[in-house]
Amino acid sequence: MSEYDEAIKLTGPDDTGRYTGRLSDDWAIGEAVNGGLIMALAATATASHSHASGGHTDPLTYSGVFLSPGSAGEITAHPQVLRTGRSMTTAQVRTTQQVDGVEVERTRALMTMGDLSRYAEPVLKAEPAPQMPPPEDCPGTEDAPPTPLTSSGFIQRFDIRLDPATLGWALGKPSGKGEMRGWIRLADQRDFDPVSLLLALDSFPPVAFDLGSTGWVPTVEFTGYVRANPAPGWLRMRLSTSTVSGGLLEEDAQIWDSTGRLVAHSRQLASARFPERSDADSVR
Amino acid sequence: MSEYDEAIKLTGPDDTGRYTGRLSDDWAIGEAVNGGLIMALAATATASHSHASGGHTDPLTYSGVFLSPGSAGEITAHPQVLRTGRSMTTAQVRTTQQVDGVEVERTRALMTMGDLSRYAEPVLKAEPAPQMPPPEDCPGTEDAPPTPLTSSGFIQRFDIRLDPATLGWALGKPSGKGEMRGWIRLADQRDFDPVSLLLALDSFPPVAFDLGSTGWVPTVEFTGYVRANPAPGWLRMRLSTSTVSGGLLEEDAQIWDSTGRLVAHSRQLASARFPERSDADSVR
């Protein structure tokens, strides 16, 4: 079983419709288990619940908030179907952990699910994948100076190769453009599927790093969209932002599969700290 | 009192924390009361509830689903604060109407609220407003051939002027680019505020019309972001889409105020029907 399948393994539902999984520090970044992994776990529980009630199972949209950081140990997912239509099912899903005997909510999200094979054709408009050097010519985590961040469990679960053209920030020279491109696959080369694309959307370093931010970049809200079943192999990913004001920025992620098809995209509002700049340094 | 303030007027909270308002066909489009108005009403109730519990009141993000179409008559908003932090408050809000004595859910959303004045400066990156002719040189609804749609109450509540460069679809010649630009203000010239920007984000004709769609374009999921307090006066708005596949498209809206500042943006996944095309007509 792949590392990812092990990480989202669930038991349930119990007689109240809840599913139980286990978070591990193998997926932690800094002090917290990565929110993208919790999204994938919650989406898996929701798909199972929807399937059991005759609904749809492919994630189309996931809009969520992170209420408190997840930690290693048992986690419970509480999916609830709100509406089942002919072509889509709408649901809510909460995740909780017990802390000192008290149930603490980690995430809450609204999801719509459908059948992605229905939306494959015709393609009336498409965004081409960005051009970049092949993975073997793009630096990976092992090429970065070791820091507490790069030794996090989460970082080890992926093989991420960043386009050298957008890597200045890692050398102390952020471009100020607010853009990052690169390749991604799981370290054990398990191929991505619609649910794990949600995890992939939140797996790159924050685009705020390309604007000079160096610290923690907490997510205010995250909405991910899965647009197609991904083909096997490397994914190409691009992060960008266009409005950065008062420490708030939107981070847009786009993912293309190995055939060049855009298969997922997301937007998150995030809060970042930026070093003080003189007007002359403005990158507006 | 402006038409908009009348439309979002609420009584409450009652002793269970619920707020009550009244929907009117003055804000209907086709058979349903516009979802953007219900968003603004729900956001108003949530801000009031948050304020009463010591939380923040400016909408930063609103991520929601539309579960059933709203109709004229009483509507109830059920806000619930999930987390109050130092700089932001996270909440959920549901709206319901009674149908034949049964409570039917209309919308459900997750919101984050904060204090927009905190996020005004510094601006590290900004997207300039699109260039277009002044409002007096852009056609309005009164210039369009009357249809059941243009005579909808909702359409009458706004003064919308579309850039002639993106108006081909209204003359039966959609450009296929998937873009629309124009000016917007409320018909009675009440200025926009952070909450009513959520309504504005959902007020233009669907961008799918510029790709040849002519029918109803239901929203699968909507996430709106308010980035700044809008200055008084006309707003400039731009709609675009980049991936249209199997009848699903994302519609991105951006709004700039009269000073040229981007004050709100949104993305919705929508479902549209497109006429059959031969390969030669493909706009891919």
Side-chain angles (χ1 to χ4, degrees), chain B residues 2-281:
Chain B
S2 77
E3 293 179 338
Y4 167 76
D5 292 290
E6 186 69 39
I8 60 156
K9 201 170 62 180
L10 294 168
T11 57
D14 68 11
D15 50 15
T16 63
R18 292 182 295 195
Y19 293 76
T20 304
R22 182 161 285 277
L23 299 183
S24 150
D25 281 334
D26 288 350
W27 294 83
I29 183 148
E31 302 288 306
V33 173
N34 169 261
L37 183 77
I38 302 177
M39 277 199 271
L41 185 145
T44 301
T46 309
S48 172
H49 174 60
S50 176
H51 180 72
S53 57
H56 303 83
T57 57
D58 288 337
L60 301 178
T61 71
Y62 177 105
S63 306
V65 289
F66 300 94
L67 297 164
S68 58
S71 52
E74 192 172 286
I75 184 164
T76 304
H78 312 244
Q80 176 194 6
V81 167
L82 305 177
R83 177 176 179 274
T84 301
R86 195 169 40 82
S87 55
M88 291 184 197
T89 299
T90 311
Q92 173 174 296
V93 58
R94 302 164 53 237
T95 63
T96 59
Q97 290 190 297
Q98 295 286 328
V99 179
D100 299 332
V102 177
E103 184 181 85
V104 177
E105 193 164 347
R106 297 307 193 199
T107 63
R108 185 178 293 215
L110 297 167
M111 289 189 68
T112 54
M113 288 165 294
D115 175 357
L116 279 169
S117 65
R118 282 179 58 128
Y119 305 113
E121 299 292 341
V123 176
L124 287 188
K125 198 160 191 284
E127 184 145 349
Q131 295 298 313
M132 50 186 166
E136 55 273 22
D137 294 336
C138 292
T141 309
E142 68 282 6
D143 300 310
T147 69
L149 207 64
T150 59
S151 63
S152 284
F154 185 74
I155 304 284
Q156 312 299 320
R157 306 279 79 72
F158 294 91
D159 187 354
I160 288 178
R161 314 283 182 92
L162 293 179
D163 184 342
T166 66
L167 202 52
W169 60 269
L171 309 168
K173 295 188 191 305
S175 79
K177 287 184 195 160
E179 188 178 357
M180 217 177 278
R181 294 187 297 268
W183 301 88
I184 179 171
R185 62 181 178 186
L186 286 162
D188 64 8
Q189 300 190 32
R190 179 206 193 273
D191 283 314
F192 286 99
D193 57 26
V195 169
S196 56
L197 285 177
L198 295 172
L199 166 65
L201 285 164
D202 197 37
S203 63
F204 259 35
V207 75
F209 287 3
D210 190 40
L211 292 159
S213 181
T214 52
W216 190 245
V217 184
T219 299
V220 176
E221 187 273 349
F222 174 95
T223 300
Y225 302 84
V226 180
R227 303 298 296 271
N229 279 300
W234 284 101
L235 302 177
R236 268 168 288 190
M237 185 147 146
R238 176 175 181 264
L239 299 186
S240 59
T241 184
S242 61
T243 301
V244 185
S245 173
L248 279 186
L249 72 160
E250 92 287 3
E251 176 180 290
D252 284 359
Q254 296 168 294
I255 293 179
W256 293 262
D257 70 8
S258 56
T259 72
R261 180 170 191 143
L262 185 139
V263 292
H265 53 93
S266 64
R267 177 170 290 167
Q268 60 176 280
L269 191 70
S271 170
R273 284 176 179 274
F274 296 96
E276 295 287 334
R277 287 168 176 278
S278 70
D279 277 357
D281 287 336

Side-chain angles (χ1 to χ4, degrees), chain A residues 163-243:
Chain A
D163 184 343
T166 65
L167 202 53
W169 61 270
L171 310 168
K173 294 190 192 304
S175 79
K177 288 184 193 161
E179 188 177 358
M180 217 177 276
R181 294 187 297 267
W183 301 89
I184 180 171
R185 62 181 178 186
L186 286 163
D188 64 7
Q189 300 190 31
R190 179 207 192 274
D191 284 312
F192 286 99
D193 57 26
V195 169
S196 56
L197 285 176
L198 295 171
L199 165 66
L201 285 164
D202 197 37
S203 63
F204 259 34
V207 75
F209 287 2
D210 190 42
L211 292 159
S213 181
T214 51
W216 190 243
V217 183
T219 299
V220 176
E221 186 273 348
F222 174 96
T223 300
Y225 303 83
V226 179
R227 303 298 296 272
N229 279 300
W234 284 101
L235 301 177
R236 267 168 288 190
M237 184 147 147
R238 177 176 180 263
L239 299 186
S240 60
T241 184
S242 61
T243 302

Side-chain angles (χ1 to χ4, degrees), chain A residues 15-178:
Chain A
D15 51 15
T16 62
R18 292 181 297 196
Y19 293 76
T20 304
R22 181 161 287 276
L23 299 183
S24 151
D25 281 334
D26 287 350
W27 294 83
I29 184 147
E31 303 287 305
V33 173
N34 169 262
L37 182 76
I38 302 177
M39 277 198 270
L41 186 145
T44 301
T46 310
S48 172
H49 174 60
S50 176
H51 180 72
S53 56
H56 303 83
T57 56
D58 288 337
L60 301 179
T61 71
Y62 176 107
S63 305
V65 289
F66 300 94
L67 297 164
S68 58
S71 53
E74 191 172 286
I75 184 164
T76 303
H78 312 245
Q80 176 193 6
V81 168
L82 305 177
R83 176 177 179 274
T84 301
R86 195 169 38 84
S87 55
M88 290 183 198
T89 298
T90 311
Q92 172 174 296
V93 58
R94 302 163 54 237
T95 63
T96 59
Q97 290 191 297
Q98 295 286 330
V99 179
D100 299 332
V102 178
E103 184 181 84
V104 177
E105 194 165 346
R106 297 307 192 200
T107 63
R108 187 179 292 214
L110 297 167
M111 288 190 68
T112 52
M113 288 164 293
D115 175 358
L116 279 169
S117 66
R118 280 178 59 126
Y119 305 114
E121 298 293 340
V123 176
L124 287 188
K125 198 160 190 284
E127 184 145 349
Q131 295 298 313
M132 50 186 166
E136 56 271 24
D137 295 337
C138 292
T141 310
E142 68 281 5
D143 300 310
T147 69
L149 207 63
T150 58
S151 62
S152 285
F154 184 74
I155 304 284
Q156 312 301 320
R157 306 279 79 73
F158 295 91
D159 186 355
I160 289 177
R161 314 282 182 92
L162 293 180
D163 184 343
T166 65
L167 202 53
W169 61 270
L171 310 168
K173 294 190 192 304
S175 79
K177 288 184 193 161

